[in-house]
Amino acid sequence: MQEYTNDELTVRYDPKVCIHAGECVRGLPSVFDVSRKPWINVNGAPAATIIEQVKRCPSGALSYELRKDAP
């Protein structure tokens, strides 16, 4: 499990579950970009936008958690 965190949320990626459908990359390339390291940039869009895209992941490889200490 890989985790990417900012002040508001944590995005988790499970490569064992991913089916590489590309929904994340096509839907929000400012956050999900496989040509970049790390490939998930949780500062690339507002938290609400990232959450909506994570919910579109068909395999469930992406998940999120709002940080309890978020402002």
Side-chain angles (χ1 to χ4, degrees), residues 1 12-14 17-19 54-64:
M1 182 73 70
R12 292 187 181 91
Y13 169 65
D14 187 343
V17 176
C18 184
I19 61 171
V54 166
K55 289 178 179 178
R56 292 185 182 106
C57 179
S59 67
L62 292 171
S63 61
Y64 73 92

Side-chain angles (χ1 to χ4, degrees), residues 3 31 47 62:
E3 290 190 355
V31 173
L62 292 171

Side-chain angles (χ1 to χ4, degrees), residues 24-25 27-33 36 39-45 49:
C24 54
V25 175
L28 197 56
S30 64
V31 173
F32 303 98
D33 182 350
R36 213 175 35 222
W39 78 281
I40 297 177
N41 174 15
V42 291
N43 296 311
T49 304

